[in-house]
């Protein structure tokens, strides 16, 4: 649903559920590789950004949203976060993508992440948001995303960066199942010494697109039960420095569905 979260004194406090390893504390550039369409990964990113924002020069939370949406995001972060403000934020083509292409990147959880950042900023927490996604004829998407992030890092040379992106893009290994020469965003930023962490879970659901099954709520996760928390040096996917394991995933629906259903304040 669209929601309204009043500002109060507690909104400046971080709610990260795990003790943060020193390797995360000492990394300027941290990737969180997510499975799109869960409630948990965006919430985790928001609270880790809150923790990283207490570094001397703050943090930029970089999101897989088209760079053309940056003005709308900036306006929302400076707003009161009303239902009207949220409706304006999700009025762009990115959020209003047709149902057969709603792959989980435009979810209520992503809207809630932006609202959480808005609250933290109102409580003087030093968080910026960067929309870095982009498409261009003749240029690979991951190369554009990497260059957009690199440009922002040059503009803020002392700030830390936390990147929430799909788990293919956050892998530092070259290659993908369909293309052995594929160069991921994190691979292209290897000169920046990124720390890549996979957001993982043993079970649950997510709103994702799965081939012939289409886009919607699907069962996801792994058969084996995994201990929750950081697992530095341990990841089921190549190209990662470790994992952040959550108890379970739950699906987050596209944000525009709630608007169309007329959810009340």
């Amino acid at each position: 649903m669209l929601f309204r979260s009043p500002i109060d004194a507690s909104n400046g406090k971080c709610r990260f559920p795990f003790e943060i390893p020193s390797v995360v504390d000492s990394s300027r550039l941290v990737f969180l590789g997510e499975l799109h369409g869960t409630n948990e990964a965006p919430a985790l990113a928001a609270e880790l950004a809150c923790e990283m924002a207490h570094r001397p020069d703050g943090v930029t939370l970089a999101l897989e949203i088209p760079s053309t949406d940056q003005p709308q995001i900036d306006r929302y972060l400076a707003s009161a976060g009303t239902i009207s403000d949220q409706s304006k934020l999700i009025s762009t083509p990115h959020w209003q993508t047709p149902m057969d292409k709603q792959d989980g990147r435009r979810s209520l959880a992503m809207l809630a992440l932006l609202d959480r950042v808005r609250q933290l900023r109102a409580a003087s927490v030093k968080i910026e948001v960067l929309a870095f996604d982009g498409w261009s004829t003749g240029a690979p998407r991951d190369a554009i995303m990497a260059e957009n992030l690199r440009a922002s890092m040059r503009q803020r040379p002392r700030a830390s960066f936390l990147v929430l992106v799909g788990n293919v893009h956050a892998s530092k290994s070259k290659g993908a199942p369909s293309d052995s020469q594929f160069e991921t965003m994190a691979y292209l930023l290897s000169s920046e010494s990124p720390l890549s962490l996979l957001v993982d879970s043993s079970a649950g659901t997510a709103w994702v697109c799965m081939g012939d099954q289409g886009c919607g709520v699907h069962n996801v996760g792994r058969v084996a039960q995994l201990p929750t928390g950081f697992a530095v040096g341990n990841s089921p996917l190549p190209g990662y420095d470790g994992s952040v394991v959550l108890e379970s995933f739950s699906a987050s629906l596209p944000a525009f569905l709630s608007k169309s259903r007329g959810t009340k304040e």
Side-chain angles (χ1 to χ4, degrees):
M1 64 178 180
L2 296 182
F3 49 84
R4 192 170 189 176
S5 300
I7 299 295
D8 60 46
S10 67
N11 285 333
K13 297 179 181 178
C14 304
R15 307 166 188 162
F16 196 73
F18 310 121
E19 183 177 351
I20 298 176
S22 59
V23 67
V24 176
D25 277 334
S26 62
S27 296
R28 183 191 178 208
L29 175 58
V30 178
F31 276 87
L32 291 179
E34 69 158 345
L35 176 67
H36 296 313
T38 74
N39 287 296
E40 290 74 18
L44 185 84
E47 299 311 318
L48 183 54
C50 179
E51 296 284 354
M52 294 175 67
H54 291 91
R55 299 178 183 184
D57 294 283
V59 68
T60 294
L61 175 59
L63 301 175
E64 197 176 345
I65 295 174
S67 57
T68 51
D69 274 33
Q70 190 70 53
Q72 287 84 355
I73 291 172
D74 292 342
R75 280 195 292 270
Y76 182 72
L77 295 179
S79 76
T82 65
I83 299 299
S84 175
D85 294 326
Q86 292 174 20
S87 295
K88 292 174 184 176
L89 172 66
I90 67 170
S91 66
T92 66
H94 167 72
W95 293 92
Q96 298 297 316
T97 295
M99 283 294 291
D100 63 346
K101 297 185 184 301
Q102 285 279 347
D103 59 1
R105 290 184 293 130
R106 308 154 178 89
S107 66
L108 273 170
M110 289 299 292
L111 176 57
L113 180 157
L114 289 168
D115 194 64
R116 174 64 171 147
V117 172
R118 180 190 64 81
Q119 295 175 34
L120 291 168
R121 285 166 56 93
S124 300
V125 179
K126 294 183 291 185
I127 302 181
E128 302 292 334
V129 172
L130 172 70
F132 62 78
D133 203 354
W135 299 85
S136 176
T137 303
R141 179 183 170 215
D142 275 65
I144 295 171
M145 294 195 297
E147 186 51 41
N148 287 344
L149 184 63
R150 184 179 285 112
S152 184
M153 293 181 71
R154 288 170 180 162
Q155 290 172 359
R156 301 189 68 204
R158 297 178 61 85
S160 297
F161 284 76
L162 176 63
V163 185
L164 178 66
V165 68
N167 55 33
V168 171
H169 310 293
S171 169
K172 296 192 291 186
S173 293
K174 185 176 182 179
S178 60
D179 181 3
S180 62
Q181 297 304 306
F182 177 67
E183 295 181 337
T184 69
M185 179 185 184
Y187 173 83
L188 292 167
L189 288 165
S190 58
S191 62
E192 306 294 340
S193 302
L195 178 76
S196 284
L197 301 171
L198 177 70
V199 182
D200 202 4
S201 177
S202 298
T205 59
W207 181 290
V208 288
C209 298
M210 289 189 171
D212 294 340
Q213 300 179 56
C215 303
V217 178
H218 297 284
N219 292 322
V220 297
R222 309 184 186 284
V223 176
Q225 185 66 38
L226 304 171
T228 58
F230 282 95
V232 177
N234 185 9
S235 171
L237 296 182
Y240 280 90
D241 300 297
S243 304
V244 188
V245 182
L246 306 177
E247 185 174 349
S248 64
F249 286 144
S250 59
S252 181
L253 273 60
F256 85 93
L257 283 181
S258 294
K259 182 182 177 184
S260 65
R261 290 172 182 171
T263 303
K264 295 181 180 179
E265 242 177 279

